[in-house]
Amino acid sequence: MKAIRRLLRYLGPYRFYAIGATLSLFLVTATNLVTPQLLRWVIDTGITGKQVNVIIWGTAILAAVSIARGIFNFTQNFWGEQSSQGVAFDMRNELFAKIQGLSFSYHDQNHTGQLMTRATNDVELVRQFIGQGLFQLLNSVVMVIGSAWVLLAMNWRLGLATLLIIPPLVVILTNFARNIRPMFSVIQEKLGNINDILQENLAGVRVVKAFARSDFEERRFSVANQEYKATNISFVMASSANFPLIFFFSNLGTLLILGYGGPLVMDNRLSVGELVAFISYLNFLVQPIMTLGFLSGLVVRAAVSADRIYEVLDAKNEVVDKPDAKTLPAIRGEVTFDHVHFRYIGQNEDVLKGVSFTVEPGQTLAVLGATGSGKSTIINLLPRFYDVTEGAVRIDGHDVRDVTLDSLRSQIGIVLQETTLFSGTIRDNIRYGRPDASDEDVVAAAKAAQAHPFILEQPEGYETRVGERGVGLSGGQRQRVAIARALLLDPRILILDDSTSAVDAETEYQIQQALDKLMVGRTSFVIAQRISTVRNADLVLVLEKGKIGGLGTHETLMMDSPLYAEIVQSQLREDKPAPLTGEAVGNGAVDGETVVRVNGSSSNGAAAEQTEQEEMVRES
């Protein structure tokens, strides 16, 4: 009931619809309660008393009451739906905004499918309760109370006999509601598991097909689907075991009325019309109770769904603006990591351990190290995707925790290793971070990222629509669009997380040439995967198990850091390009390895990259 009470607060903006629906409900109840009395009058006075005018007038009044009941039913349902749709609208918006604002640490610990279930199915169950269950619940309660009052007023002895069926029905429904609540929690969890598998499978459908794992994925989905089905069947069994008892006691009430009221009619202490009215009121008494039985499932389900929604809405956000957070002014780009420690939630060991360094405005810092050494953590702390556990990250002397997130992130351009584009046009994707950017600015950013030529080759140029996650573009094309998107912000700090990993040698060379120019005057953080990147960087940060294993220029580290020299000698990922010639060479074996040549020739950029790497190896 706590969840339901909290849920009712969402009706505030729609109180007039809710009030209208409630008034209509009371009018429906009133027309229902008056109908048996009209029947009694027609039977006792009109039919038994043989007064035709009473029969005519009674029939006309009953018809009018039926029309009024139909009108009030319509207004109650219409206004109730208006209320419920408004509540669902507000709740979905609030839930989506909350999910958008939650820090990365929350998303690290929660499955996407579960969040999707809460934002869709759980909200829909709450809407059904508000639009249907809530008003039917009120109607049932009013009908039970009204029918009981009329029964006692007509004949208190017969009324008490009829009301004997109420206590066992209340016990049955209470136990039913108590037993099915945990079932609904499991049902929603199982549904979330299905959505998890579905979302995961759709996102990785190419991997599934590439590894011929469709059969495995179908079996995995079938198992989750079977568990969901079994849980629902358990609920149906629980329902089936209770409702026969409800029908039994309702029939018992009819027997009580006939067994006790029949002799009263024969003794002329109760009229036939009153007996018919009693049976009608018994139906009005039992039917709402049965409705409460059906509604108990809806109410419990809505309460469980509301609890699941509130778990998200009440989730603590680890990264938020301080109450006194200030707007970060236009920055020069000095970045300082001051004895930074960081540990992911749920982990037992720090990922970064006392990391300290300073990058001057306009410098380029290449970050390299083994997998798990903390490279990605470094670039995640700068825009406050996470907050440091100890120490501080400062930009131009400002602790990033003391400024607003919007003012901080608006001055940082990011190109992540995993490229994400949104459904829409190429133009819209490029100006995602600057919706007000002019077409000229968009084209300039695209040219700088070497994206302009391939965009013009698309069917509709910049207005070409790309599919979900950029489907329709190659990996290199998506990467260049993402780079253009970051460059359009004209950021003072630039973060490149292996931003050329998805492109061929020629495209990589072109992008790198553009980035070399664009990084001038900007403080740039680059997770290095190429020797040329390390060589051209002003500073190189080598991370080893969360600590600084080396910091300096390429030349100094080659002399002073055995770890760095070892990484260089292995060519950072052992990326040794095969010799390229001007002749077209098919698939063949070279030194025992299968080599695939594309187009049979190398570009100047690829050759330059190869030569540069060979020189680096010789130097090391």
Side-chain angles (χ1 to χ4, degrees), residues 34-160:
V34 78
T35 299
Q37 295 298 328
L38 292 172
L39 285 173
R40 179 186 62 79
W41 175 56
V42 170
I43 291 173
D44 289 344
T45 306
I47 297 175
T48 304
K50 299 180 180 181
Q51 297 185 29
V52 178
N53 62 326
V54 172
I55 296 175
I56 294 173
W57 277 104
T59 303
I61 294 173
L62 284 171
V65 169
S66 296
I67 293 172
R69 182 165 54 242
I71 294 173
F72 298 143
N73 262 318
F74 169 77
T75 55
Q76 187 262 310
N77 290 328
F78 178 76
W79 284 330
E81 279 299 311
Q82 287 273 49
S83 302
S84 69
Q85 292 292 348
V87 168
F89 173 82
D90 291 342
M91 185 168 282
R92 276 192 294 265
N93 280 343
E94 184 177 353
L95 194 57
F96 185 81
K98 179 68 176 185
I99 292 173
Q100 290 289 300
L102 286 169
S103 57
F104 279 30
S105 58
Y106 180 87
H107 293 284
D108 292 342
Q109 302 172 75
N110 290 273
H111 296 287
T112 302
Q114 293 287 350
L115 292 176
M116 290 172 59
T117 300
R118 298 184 193 211
T120 53
N121 184 263
D122 284 318
V123 171
E124 177 59 20
L125 289 174
V126 167
R127 188 203 65 76
Q128 291 178 7
F129 166 72
I130 294 292
Q132 304 170 20
L134 177 62
F135 296 105
Q136 289 184 22
L137 182 66
L138 289 173
N139 180 56
S140 298
V141 171
V142 172
M143 281 294 294
V144 168
I145 295 174
S147 299
W149 179 80
V150 174
L151 285 172
L152 293 174
M154 289 178 62
N155 188 306
W156 68 270
R157 291 185 178 85
L158 185 56
L160 284 177

Side-chain angles (χ1 to χ4, degrees), residues 581-587 597-601:
T581 68
E583 300 178 356
V585 182
N587 293 352
R597 302 286 196 267
V598 180
N599 295 329
S601 63

